[in-house]
Amino acid sequence: EKIKFENLELLRKSRNMTVEDLMNHFGYDRATYYQSWLKGNIKMKDIIKLHEFFNVSTDCILDVKPITILG
């Protein structure tokens, strides 16, 4: 089953970040890189960075567990 990264979109939007904001934060200058993440082309080091940045489990990043944004 293909990962849809819906939680990643929720997390990004919960921080009021654009795709460009998020990519710049991680040192990537192209939004196309983000699109490749959403297609499942994401490196483990980026999953770990997202986990640390959003302070959620990698299971949440990978849509294994549901996530609820409060506030």
Side-chain angles (χ1 to χ4, degrees):
E1 181 177 333
K2 187 173 178 171
I3 300 169
K4 296 179 183 176
F5 290 96
E6 291 172 358
N7 289 344
L8 180 55
E9 280 288 277
L10 285 172
L11 290 165
R12 179 183 63 78
K13 290 175 182 177
S14 76
R15 293 253 178 124
N16 293 320
M17 297 181 85
T18 65
V19 170
E20 290 79 15
D21 292 337
L22 186 62
M23 291 293 91
N24 287 337
H25 177 80
F26 287 107
Y28 302 122
D29 60 357
R30 297 185 320 219
T32 54
Y33 200 82
Y34 184 77
Q35 295 305 317
S36 73
W37 284 2
L38 297 181
K39 292 178 182 176
N41 300 321
I42 186 168
K43 296 179 182 178
M44 184 57 67
K45 69 176 186 164
D46 291 325
I47 292 171
I48 293 168
K49 287 179 185 179
L50 289 165
H51 146 74
E52 292 170 347
F53 179 71
F54 289 115
N55 196 29
V56 297
S57 72
T58 54
D59 286 350
C60 287
I61 299 293
L62 296 171
D63 291 347
V64 174
K65 290 186 178 179
I67 190 166
T68 303
I69 306 295
L70 303 174

